[in-house]
Amino acid sequence: MTNEWKLINASLPLRDEAHLYALTVRDGLWTDVAAQPGTADVPGAVPIDELAGAPAAGTVVDLGGKVLLPGLVDAHMHLDKSFCLPQVGNASGTLEEAVSNYSNAVHAFSKDEIKARIIRSALQAVAFGTTAIRTHLDFHVRWGADVALRTIEAALEAQAELKPYVKLELFPLAPMFRFEAGHLDVLEETLRMGVTGVGTAAHMSATWESDIDTLFGLAQKYDLPLDFHTDESDDPMKRTVAHIAQRTIDCGWSGRVTVDHLCSLAAMNDADAGMLIERMAAAKLYAVTLPGANLYLQGRRDGFPVRRGVTRVKDLLSAGIALATASDNIHDPFHPFGRGDLLQIGLITAYAAHMGRPADLRTILRMITEIPASILGLEGYGVEAGNDADFVVFDGATPEELFTMVPERRWVFRGGRWLKLAAKRSGFALPELDRRLGEAAERLAFGTPAAVAKA
């Protein structure tokens, strides 16, 4: 039996704002995307505000001019750490203390607890419209193979359970500079378990060049993409991105390497930053900015003026580098806030990068949709006939309204069915997703006196 939906009066700001659109979804795929000559009036059409329960396939849904975007794509999260702030505090608020505190606590976390964090935070992101996520996974092999692998096992199990709701990419974050004899064998076992790619934070190592070379060797051996936490520092002399760019070219890995954070670019002079950005462009590196976490973490030891750590967003975009913006951490020692809402992250990006012009807002929408989709290598992405009909509808008619109001009411569709419906007046009606998210949230505390005491 064909599962078909028709949508009318949809606003598609990433395509054409001069028209509203009529769309058809059949068996989870876009089959027709057509500009309307004006506002459509179809007898029997149901206003999207009135969708409830389990709407019947075949219903014509009137979006009433609301914005429809392809499912949001979060190119950088740490789902395994999310909501652990009650167990792992951070008194100084620095990146260094966050790294130390979490690495010293991770051995005490069970696989079930880590899995619960991943499921809860991923489902929460889905509720805000995200349908694909790349998550980095801590890999603390110094505590032994069991501790390192339990996070990977938890993530693989969560990935399978979450498949109906979100595509999850898994990237172990290898602490190369702390490896001892046999540790690399454990990392290789992880890569054989079915993760998506691998990364590290080489700028934290005294042997960063050899660490980067080791990761490229593994990527070539297992034919995997690489994703580096890169130069997340206020120090303008942190420039590991130059070596990453050169190795990308040498290894023929262009289009398969992502560099995240890039905070040191914001601390150095224009000439030096421009040189590095040129190298990045030549290597065709992907990039991700994490404005929420970096605004919180960076510049902690500065007097005024305080460096805020957000990378050179406009310069990277101007150089033609595919730059996404992403969530990073949620309620953990690295970032006590956040909720997995990419529209909120887009707004923070607009503030931090001075991007408020109409063209800027549409660029930021691409930084949470089309650009990260290319980074993740998603096939069949976007509102085009033949592509997967994964999408989110916002309770707003223009990008300006989205970023001004950050509407809570959103409708999420994936895999041929509605995952989330927003009731007209009485909050949310989240059929299956509401139940799953509620179950996941029950597993985790949200702030405790112990966390306050550590602060």
Side-chain angles (χ1 to χ4, degrees):
M1 181 178 179
T2 301
N3 180 356
E4 183 173 280
W5 295 86
K6 292 185 180 293
L7 311 173
I8 60 173
N9 299 321
S11 174
L12 304 182
L14 298 184
R15 185 185 182 102
D16 171 17
E17 293 186 73
H19 299 89
L20 296 176
Y21 276 78
L23 313 163
T24 303
V25 178
R26 184 177 297 123
D27 296 332
L29 299 176
W30 295 114
T31 58
D32 190 41
V33 179
Q36 299 174 181
T39 301
D41 184 10
V42 176
V46 178
I48 193 168
D49 287 323
E50 296 179 11
L51 283 182
T59 301
V60 178
V61 182
D62 187 350
L63 271 58
K66 298 184 193 300
V67 166
L68 182 150
L69 296 177
L72 309 184
V73 181
D74 206 316
H76 185 122
M77 295 188 81
H78 289 268
L79 301 179
D80 58 323
K81 294 194 191 87
S82 61
F83 299 103
C84 76
L85 190 61
Q87 291 79 37
V88 189
N90 183 351
S92 68
T94 61
L95 175 62
E96 293 78 12
E97 184 181 343
V99 170
S100 176
N101 289 358
Y102 191 83
S103 64
N104 287 325
V106 69
H107 68 283
F109 298 133
S110 69
K111 185 176 81 171
D112 287 345
E113 182 175 1
I114 295 168
K115 180 179 174 181
R117 290 185 200 148
I118 294 170
I119 290 175
R120 190 241 168 115
S121 45
L123 289 175
Q124 184 164 301
V126 172
F128 287 115
T130 294
T131 58
I133 295 170
R134 175 176 291 182
T135 184
H136 296 264
L137 303 167
D138 271 45
F139 188 77
H140 294 283
V141 71
R142 70 187 180 95
W143 290 108
D146 175 67
V147 171
L149 294 177
R150 73 176 59 155
T151 295
I152 307 304
E153 291 168 358
L156 287 166
E157 290 178 12
Q159 180 187 52
E161 288 191 26
L162 290 166
K163 189 174 181 180
Y165 310 99
V166 60
K167 176 179 174 61
L168 211 58
E169 290 194 353
L170 310 178
F171 278 68
L173 184 59
M176 303 297 296
F177 53 95
R178 294 177 182 170
F179 271 35
E180 299 174 3
H183 287 180
L184 197 58
D185 294 336
V186 181
L187 179 60
E188 290 208 54
E189 181 181 348
T190 297
L191 303 186
R192 291 190 291 267
M193 291 170 68
V195 297
T196 313
V198 64
T200 191
H203 60 275
M204 299 178 67
S205 171
T207 57
W208 53 271
E209 286 186 324
S210 62
D211 295 346
I212 290 168
D213 292 347
T214 297
L215 262 290
F216 270 96
L218 288 174
Q220 291 181 298
K221 180 177 180 179
Y222 291 96
D223 193 25
L224 294 174
L226 289 163
D227 195 319
F228 292 93
H229 286 57
T230 307
D231 303 332
E232 189 179 1
S233 171
D234 296 318
D235 182 355
M237 299 311 295
K238 293 290 187 182
R239 303 181 182 190
T240 64
V241 71
H243 190 63
I244 293 170
Q246 188 58 54
R247 295 301 293 145
T248 299
I249 293 170
D250 294 343
C251 297
W253 232 241
S254 292
R256 304 192 72 188
V257 180
T258 305
V259 287
D260 312 311
H261 293 290
L262 299 165
C263 303
S264 68
L265 284 179
M268 64 184 69
N269 62 53
D270 290 345
D272 288 352
M275 176 190 66
L276 290 173
I277 290 171
E278 285 180 7
R279 292 190 187 184
M280 292 172 61
K284 296 182 174 59
L285 296 180
Y286 293 128
V288 183
T289 183
L290 294 311
N294 287 138
L295 283 169
Y296 181 78
L297 288 169
Q298 305 308 132
R300 285 281 177 166
R301 295 184 175 88
D302 286 355
F304 284 93
V306 177
R307 291 169 292 187
R308 300 314 311 272
V310 177
T311 195
R312 292 172 177 252
V313 172
K314 288 182 178 179
D315 292 346
L316 291 165
L317 291 169
S318 295
I321 292 169
L323 175 69
T325 188
S327 294
D328 210 3
N329 301 70
I330 299 174
H331 198 59
D332 67 14
F334 295 81
H335 185 223
F337 312 121
R339 59 183 192 172
D341 179 0
L342 277 174
L343 186 61
Q344 181 189 63
I345 292 297
L347 178 60
I348 294 171
T349 306
Y351 273 112
H354 296 155
M355 295 176 69
R357 300 175 306 162
D360 292 334
L361 299 185
R362 285 141 184 87
T363 294
I364 291 173
L365 288 182
R366 288 186 168 86
M367 291 171 70
I368 60 176
T369 54
E370 296 170 352
I371 295 173
S374 68
I375 293 173
L376 270 64
L378 301 183
E379 297 180 357
Y381 179 86
V383 185
E384 296 287 349
N387 286 350
D388 294 329
D390 297 347
F391 63 87
V392 53
V393 177
F394 294 88
D395 190 19
T398 65
E400 286 77 7
E401 186 174 359
L402 297 192
F403 286 112
T404 300
M405 304 306 295
V406 192
E408 291 287 336
R409 295 204 305 139
R410 305 175 196 185
W411 295 258
V412 183
F413 188 97
R414 183 174 188 268
R417 61 185 180 138
W418 295 95
L419 294 181
K420 175 178 178 177
L421 302 174
K424 190 169 184 178
R425 291 189 177 86
S426 58
F428 298 137
L430 314 179
E432 181 178 356
L433 183 62
D434 182 49
R435 176 181 61 80
R436 291 299 310 270
L437 184 53
E439 291 171 354
E442 287 177 3
R443 299 287 308 276
L444 301 167
F446 194 93
T448 67
V452 174
K454 291 178 181 178

